[in-house]
Amino acid sequence: MIKFQASIENKWYFLLGLILFFLVAKEAYVLPLTHDEGNTIHCSTTSVKDIVTYADPVPNNHILNTLLIKLNTSLFGERLFIDRLHNFLAFIPLFLFTLAIAKILFDDIWLRLLLLATIVLQPFLLDFFSVTRGYGLSVALQMVSLYYFVRLLYDGKSSDLTKSLVWAALGVYANFTLLNYYIPLSALLIFYSFRQNYKIRKQVFSKELITIFATGITLLAIIIVPLYKMVSTKQFVYWGNTGFFHDTVKHLTISLRSGVDYFGATHEVIYASFISIIGIVMVIGLIIQWLKKSDTKLYWMMSLLLGVIVYNQLQFYVLDIPFLNARTALFFIPLVSIPFCLSIQNISFVNKNIGFALVILLNSLILQHFIRGSRVNTNFEWYYDQNTYQVLDHIKSMVESGQAPKPAIINCYWIFYPSLSYHIAHGYEEYIQIAPWDTKISNDNTSVFYYTESGEREQLLEKFDISKDFGYGARFLMRAKGK
């Protein structure tokens, strides 16, 4: 159990957590349905058996997440905010266990804040706690697992090993991409237990080995059918085949940028700078650790990170599973943040002034990035759905004022269909109807409105006029000529 004393420091942590939780919950409340949420919510309307066995093998079904949606709606009714309930509540364990890890690892308050900031002040990561997908939930469960792994490094208790595994397994059930963390963690725990116990406590080693394999077999038993169906139906084609650093690291870095401008720097410059800083700091931290020959926390955390990277490579070259993309690689954020902060701590041990300057600089950079990149009315990954309410409210007002027929029929570019159709069915049916899915505009003589993105605008101007511009020329609501 985590225990925090009511110190002034903890009161500031509580205030920070409260502010962040408010922002996450507010985004969950005001944000329209995003593109992939539609299929996820639909999955939750099927039976529990169909959910856990992947009767419909779509990647939108992150099983634990889908089951929790089903629970939410059975208790509180079907509303988008309720569908998202467990996700924004999952921010609470993310924050608390990140803080708990920081308090275990660091005596210095500024290093604690740095670890906290590198994880919970990432706008891109926080976005996933405001939508009903499994990514945020899985990272929250991963943080619980990492907390017990860190505790294991301090006290060597078998109970911490078990808890680290079980919480990691739950994270996998929330999002299968966390297998990339669970399997290397299991391998590292076997090595840790062997190193600590084999010579002097063979019975403890045997017990922990059985625990690791029993947990793995149990997890495999409940995910083998869904995994087989995903592989056999080629659900991984949406990932990358170029390389780990290009498909995973670069795409995640660009997404973590959250559209924030830095002196006009390109994505390539941001990526190269970001990776260089992290790499240099970690190498220096490891060199200092090797020279000091003190405690081994940094070695273990680096081993876990490298194990995940190696496993991700093997997964591609041996099993032909593509590399992860930005949102499926979110679990790398804590895996990188912890050894990065431990490396800065080592630098501080050698030179307090340099270490302190680094910590203050990094905390300041992360804070300004969060302030500039955080927005509660849009989601970076599914930015194009941010205007759904505005589009529907605009059409509704035109219908109410007699400027459009009742109900007004709207067609749209395919990426907008899930959000528009969901919200029309949940509050706008009296005023608006949506054309059937994949209705070709060349055969559509009934739609009054058409919602599209800028790339499709020109080809529609023959039959439609622009009614309203959304997103500064990025998206357009168009009206059929003569209607």
Side-chain angles (χ1 to χ4, degrees):
M1 179 67 71
I2 304 175
K3 295 181 180 180
F4 296 116
Q5 296 178 347
S7 64
I8 294 176
E9 180 188 350
N10 286 333
K11 289 177 181 177
W12 282 109
Y13 292 140
F14 177 78
L15 180 60
L16 174 61
L18 197 62
I19 292 170
L20 293 175
F21 179 71
F22 170 77
L23 293 175
V24 169
K26 184 178 180 182
E27 183 176 333
Y29 185 77
V30 304
L31 191 71
L33 181 103
T34 57
H35 184 87
D36 289 341
E37 285 183 286
N39 271 337
T40 302
I41 293 171
H42 171 72
C43 289
S44 73
T45 63
T46 62
S47 69
V48 171
K49 179 183 177 182
D50 284 350
I51 293 170
V52 300
T53 61
Y54 256 51
D56 182 11
V58 294
N60 305 82
N61 179 17
H62 302 151
I63 297 176
L64 180 58
N65 176 68
T66 308
L67 290 172
L68 289 172
I69 298 173
K70 194 172 188 69
L71 176 63
N72 294 345
T73 55
S74 66
L75 293 174
F76 306 111
E78 166 54 35
R79 285 180 55 201
L80 185 56
F81 184 67
I82 297 302
D83 293 330
R84 294 167 169 170
L85 178 64
H86 62 281
N87 283 281
F88 64 80
L89 289 177
F91 171 77
I92 298 173
L94 174 82
F95 185 88
L96 290 179
F97 281 92
T98 302
L99 178 57
I101 292 171
K103 281 179 168 287
I104 292 175
L105 293 177
F106 307 115
D107 294 325
D108 185 272
I109 184 174
W110 295 107
L111 279 166
R112 292 175 180 174
L113 284 171
L114 181 60
L115 179 60
L116 201 60
T118 56
I119 296 174
V120 303
L121 290 186
Q122 297 294 343
F124 181 65
L125 174 60
L126 293 189
D127 274 347
F128 290 91
F129 289 88
S130 299
V131 294
T132 186
R133 302 281 281 151
Y135 302 107
L137 177 61
S138 68
V139 174
L141 295 169
Q142 178 198 14
M143 288 310 304
V144 184
S145 170
L146 283 169
Y147 166 73
Y148 286 110
F149 178 69
V150 171
R151 277 201 3 179
L152 177 70
L153 299 180
Y154 277 86
D155 57 34
K157 291 182 180 178
S158 295
S159 59
D160 288 332
L161 180 146
T162 302
K163 290 172 184 176
S164 182
L165 273 175
V166 170
W167 285 104
L170 282 172
V172 172
Y173 211 50
N175 193 323
F176 286 160
T177 57
L178 210 66
L179 277 168
N180 290 269
Y181 164 74
Y182 177 85
I183 293 175
L185 173 68
S186 298
L188 190 61
L189 288 175
I190 291 172
F191 177 71
Y192 175 87
S193 182
F194 177 84
R195 187 172 180 272
Q196 296 294 111
N197 302 312
Y198 185 74
K199 290 183 179 179
I200 57 175
R201 298 188 300 174
K202 287 189 177 181
Q203 188 175 2
V204 173
F205 171 68
S206 299
K207 178 184 174 183
E208 291 182 347
L209 194 64
I210 291 170
T211 298
I212 294 168
F213 278 98
T215 306
I217 291 169
T218 302
L219 177 63
L220 180 63
I222 62 177
I223 68 172
I224 186 69
V225 172
L227 279 179
Y228 171 76
K229 289 183 178 180
M230 287 187 72
V231 172
S232 62
T233 55
K234 299 181 179 179
Q235 297 297 331
F236 298 110
V237 296
Y238 306 103
W239 298 358
N241 291 284
T242 304
F244 171 74
F245 282 95
H246 179 274
D247 295 323
T248 303
V249 182
K250 185 177 182 179
H251 286 184
L252 178 59
T253 302
I254 292 169
S255 294
L256 288 172
R257 181 177 182 175
S258 295
V260 176
D261 178 61
Y262 285 98
F263 312 106
T266 64
H267 287 326
E268 284 68 25
V269 170
I270 294 291
Y271 165 65
S273 303
F274 186 76
I275 296 305
S276 297
I277 291 169
I278 291 175
I280 291 169
V281 168
M282 285 187 175
V283 168
I284 294 173
L286 284 169
I287 291 172
I288 294 171
Q289 188 78 52
W290 181 73
L291 292 173
K292 280 165 50 64
K293 300 186 185 302
S294 57
D295 68 67
T296 58
K297 295 188 297 292
L298 178 58
Y299 290 150
W300 287 109
M301 298 312 301
M302 279 298 299
S303 296
L304 182 56
L305 172 60
L306 292 174
V308 172
I309 293 172
V310 170
Y311 174 79
N312 200 245
Q313 299 275 4
L314 291 174
Q315 184 176 252
F316 177 78
Y317 291 107
V318 177
L319 301 176
D320 199 28
I321 295 176
F323 294 107
L324 304 171
N325 59 26
R327 68 174 181 258
T328 55
L330 286 168
F331 63 89
F332 273 103
I333 296 173
L335 292 178
V336 173
S337 296
I338 295 174
F340 178 75
C341 292
L342 285 169
S343 297
I344 291 182
Q345 179 177 245
N346 281 352
I347 294 171
S348 298
F349 289 153
V350 173
N351 190 306
K352 289 184 179 180
N353 292 331
I354 292 177
F356 183 72
L358 272 175
V359 171
I360 296 299
L361 176 63
L362 289 167
N363 274 323
S364 301
L365 285 173
I366 294 169
L367 179 59
Q368 66 82 30
H369 181 80
F370 174 78
I371 292 171
R372 296 170 65 202
S374 180
R375 296 175 181 84
V376 299
N377 61 346
T378 185
N379 183 288
F380 183 79
E381 185 77 0
W382 296 282
Y383 65 92
Y384 47 81
D385 283 319
Q386 63 185 284
N387 302 114
T388 300
Y389 287 132
Q390 295 166 276
V391 170
L392 296 177
D393 285 338
H394 180 70
I395 296 173
K396 178 183 175 182
S397 67
M398 294 183 73
V399 171
E400 289 178 324
S401 64
Q403 299 177 60
K406 183 180 181 179
I409 300 176
I410 184 173
N411 199 348
C412 63
Y413 185 56
W414 68 273
I415 62 171
F416 303 118
Y417 196 91
S419 189
L420 285 175
S421 60
Y422 176 88
H423 288 293
I424 288 173
H426 291 79
Y428 292 88
E429 277 186 312
E430 181 183 350
Y431 305 94
I432 308 168
Q433 290 181 3
I434 193 164
W437 167 253
D438 203 28
T439 301
K440 304 297 182 184
I441 199 63
S442 57
N443 302 323
D444 186 1
N445 297 315
T446 59
S447 295
V448 179
F449 296 98
Y450 191 93
Y451 186 48
T452 190
E453 49 87 42
S454 58
E456 199 182 33
R457 184 189 63 171
E458 293 302 321
Q459 66 189 73
L460 294 168
L461 287 176
E462 183 179 342
K463 296 182 67 174
F464 292 86
D465 294 317
I466 296 174
S467 176
K468 192 171 178 62
D469 175 350
F470 295 93
Y472 304 101
R475 294 166 290 280
F476 297 91
L477 177 65
M478 307 185 77
R479 182 165 184 167
K481 295 179 185 291
K483 291 187 180 181

